Amino acid sequence: MGSINNKARPFGGQHHHQQPLCTRTHQIGALLLVAATFFFTSLFDRSFRPCASHFSTVDLIPTSRSSVHVSDGRDLLWPHRGYGPHLDLKIYVYDDREIDGLKALMRGRDGTIDSSTCLKGQWGTQVKIHRLLLKSRFRTQKKGEADLFFVPAYTKCVRMMGGLNDKEINQTYVKVLSQMPYFRRSGGRDHIFVFPSGAGAHLFRSWVTYINRSIILTPEGDRTDKKDTSAFNTWKDIIIPGNVEDGMTTNGATLVHPLPLSKRKFLANYLGRAQGKVGRLKLIELSKQFPDKECVPVILSDQVELPFQNVVDYTQISIKWPSTRIGPELLQYLESIPDENIEGMISRGRQVRCLWAYASESASCSAMHAILWELQRKVRLFHQSTETFWLHNGSVVNRNLVQFSDWRPPMPLP
């Protein structure tokens, strides 16, 4: 039987005289290697650390949290993990004068639709995001240094106002995209589109052919107006807050003085299409009649996608209930929740509600700040598509070996 104190044996059937596996010289050499590795690692870390002197204090404050945090001073603190220590991206915004057809997507075939008209209603985010990016410090006028490209279009509004029909919208989008060399270079992966309604990108009928790789900003990822194919992809697209009238998002600590829960008498609800426009208008009427109310959202949409789910823990500020169990059981459950729990959820919701308001970059917390952080996660160093190739000297060429700088529209789309 083998002894408990078995000693290590050399491999093979014969015994040979062996040198020690680790001499003192080896040990000293290993220590020197560890020390050198630590020294050079620290040196390179200092050498390549990005300079952040031109960023605001808010951008420079990293946090180890996994969720977004708003400080007592209303500063937006984004989690360091997956995002980086500060916002550092450059976005090029296409001008309607440089791309033939872009003006039609913004003002209709006759150019008569006023963009201010498109600020109202569900589609207002198309205009707001465009205007905010035009004034953004992250905007660049040089396409060659841009990380991302924003394609402005007020398609939903233009369609609703009779400025373009579905066929015209489709033809115009294809025409616009064929004039963008950078879109062809990346296959659209670094281009941003906003579709602010339940129809999503289906407003552009050929979206699945041309912009299925692009970044789509939309408030509704759970439904696409009875289409069989969803236009929302959770891995590349971003759910944004829906449009809220500017007059309802006035900043200030004294804006809301909520009544104690014991004095509240109403349970407001909106069941979307089940109630139609009448239910929506009634809910808006209630919100104007009782502006001092702060509530806990109860979500009754099983497939819902929510804004900024990467960093907002919705279990702390809302309730999601199965739509298959709507009835007296739901009301009994809501009545059973202790007031202190409800007050806690309202308090936590109050801390992040600024993420639902579209405001300028001068505001320390806004929906636009959150969108920029999410866009930063989409930035790629390298761009290519099925129609993009490169040579030994790093030059990018097309299938005919024409250099990227010489690509001229109209170009075949990837």
Side-chain angles (χ1 to χ4, degrees):
M1 295 179 62
S3 170
I4 295 178
N5 296 317
N6 281 340
K7 297 181 179 179
R9 303 176 188 174
F11 290 104
Q14 297 181 357
H15 295 276
H16 299 281
H17 178 70
Q18 294 187 340
Q19 294 294 329
L21 295 178
C22 184
T23 65
R24 185 171 184 80
T25 301
H26 291 135
Q27 293 174 343
I28 294 174
L31 289 174
L32 289 174
L33 180 61
V34 171
T37 300
F38 177 79
F39 172 77
F40 285 111
T41 300
S42 301
L43 179 64
F44 282 121
D45 181 60
R46 288 193 297 270
S47 298
F48 293 103
R49 187 170 296 161
C51 177
S53 59
H54 61 288
F55 292 102
S56 69
T57 304
V58 176
D59 296 330
L60 290 174
I61 304 177
T63 171
S64 60
R65 298 171 183 264
S66 297
S67 60
V68 70
H69 175 64
V70 181
S71 70
D72 294 338
R74 308 307 300 159
D75 288 336
L76 178 65
L77 308 181
W78 219 253
H80 185 282
R81 187 179 69 180
Y83 292 90
H86 54 256
L87 277 172
D88 182 14
L89 74 165
K90 296 181 178 180
I91 301 175
Y92 181 85
V93 181
Y94 284 104
D95 192 290
D96 61 3
R97 293 167 293 184
E98 68 174 306
I99 303 292
D100 185 21
L102 203 53
K103 183 177 180 180
L105 291 176
M106 299 170 65
R107 297 178 178 84
R109 70 178 74 85
D110 301 324
T112 56
I113 297 178
D114 188 348
S115 61
S116 297
T117 304
C118 298
L119 269 173
K120 299 179 180 180
Q122 190 177 22
W123 51 76
T125 50
Q126 284 189 320
V127 183
K128 288 183 177 180
I129 292 175
H130 180 207
R131 290 185 176 181
L132 290 169
L133 284 176
L134 288 175
K135 299 177 181 179
S136 174
R137 62 191 172 103
F138 299 105
R139 180 192 178 192
T140 178
Q141 302 282 1
K142 300 178 181 178
K143 295 178 183 177
E145 67 178 21
D147 299 308
L148 299 168
F149 297 81
F150 182 81
V151 183
Y154 310 153
T155 317
K156 177 68 175 180
C157 175
V158 167
R159 181 177 180 271
M160 296 295 290
M161 301 288 291
L164 291 174
N165 59 39
D166 289 344
K167 183 178 180 180
E168 290 172 321
I169 290 173
N170 196 75
Q171 293 173 339
T172 306
Y173 261 117
V174 174
K175 178 181 178 181
V176 164
L177 297 177
S178 68
Q179 300 173 64
M180 298 177 172
Y182 284 90
F183 183 89
R184 177 177 170 83
R185 180 191 67 166
S186 67
R189 292 176 177 87
D190 53 359
H191 280 58
I192 308 164
F193 298 83
V194 182
F195 292 100
S197 70
H202 287 289
L203 287 171
F204 174 23
R205 287 181 174 179
S206 298
W207 75 268
V208 73
T209 301
Y210 298 108
I211 62 171
N212 64 335
R213 299 176 182 87
S214 300
I215 302 167
I216 295 175
L217 310 185
T218 179
E220 299 185 53
D222 56 321
R223 63 183 186 90
T224 49
D225 280 351
K226 300 181 181 179
K227 303 293 183 180
D228 294 332
T229 304
S230 174
F232 174 75
N233 185 319
T234 189
W235 303 112
K236 68 178 183 64
D237 301 329
I238 300 173
I239 295 294
I240 60 175
N243 184 40
V244 179
E245 296 295 333
D246 291 338
M248 299 178 67
T249 60
T250 305
N251 294 319
T254 59
L255 174 62
V256 175
H257 297 285
L259 288 173
L261 294 179
S262 60
K263 294 185 178 181
R264 301 189 185 191
K265 303 177 181 179
F266 299 97
L267 171 65
N269 74 91
Y270 173 58
L271 298 178
R273 290 181 175 176
Q275 288 179 298
K277 187 177 181 180
V278 175
R280 181 181 300 180
L281 293 177
K282 184 63 177 178
L283 192 59
I284 294 174
E285 179 185 337
L286 283 172
S287 66
K288 291 181 178 180
Q289 186 178 355
F290 303 100
D292 56 347
K293 301 295 188 299
E294 291 181 312
C295 310
V296 174
V298 180
I299 302 167
L300 303 175
S301 176
D302 297 351
Q303 290 82 30
V304 68
E305 298 280 350
L306 299 167
F308 317 128
Q309 292 180 145
N310 290 336
V311 295
V312 176
D313 183 355
Y314 281 88
T315 65
Q316 300 299 304
I317 61 175
S318 65
I319 296 168
K320 182 182 178 184
W321 185 267
S323 62
T324 53
R325 303 184 70 91
I326 296 176
E329 181 184 14
L330 170 59
L331 295 177
Q332 293 170 5
Y333 164 71
L334 296 176
E335 289 178 345
S336 71
I337 302 175
D339 285 357
E340 56 266 26
N341 293 96
I342 296 176
E343 290 170 348
M345 297 179 77
I346 291 175
S347 176
R348 291 188 291 271
R350 192 181 300 129
Q351 294 176 3
V352 296
R353 68 184 177 189
C354 52
L355 295 176
W356 276 258
Y358 287 89
S360 67
E361 289 180 14
S362 60
S364 58
C365 172
S366 70
M368 199 61 212
H369 272 101
I371 291 171
L372 289 170
W373 275 110
E374 291 299 324
L375 286 173
Q376 180 155 289
R377 297 188 75 188
K378 311 296 183 182
V379 172
R380 298 181 176 207
L381 172 65
F382 181 70
H383 302 282
Q384 66 98 18
S385 71
T386 56
E387 296 300 322
T388 303
F389 307 86
W390 55 93
L391 306 180
H392 72 284
N393 57 3
S395 60
V396 175
V397 298
N398 64 13
R399 191 172 293 276
N400 296 321
L401 302 184
V402 177
Q403 290 202 21
F404 176 71
S405 58
D406 295 326
W407 293 7
R408 295 292 180 266
M411 295 163 293
L413 292 170

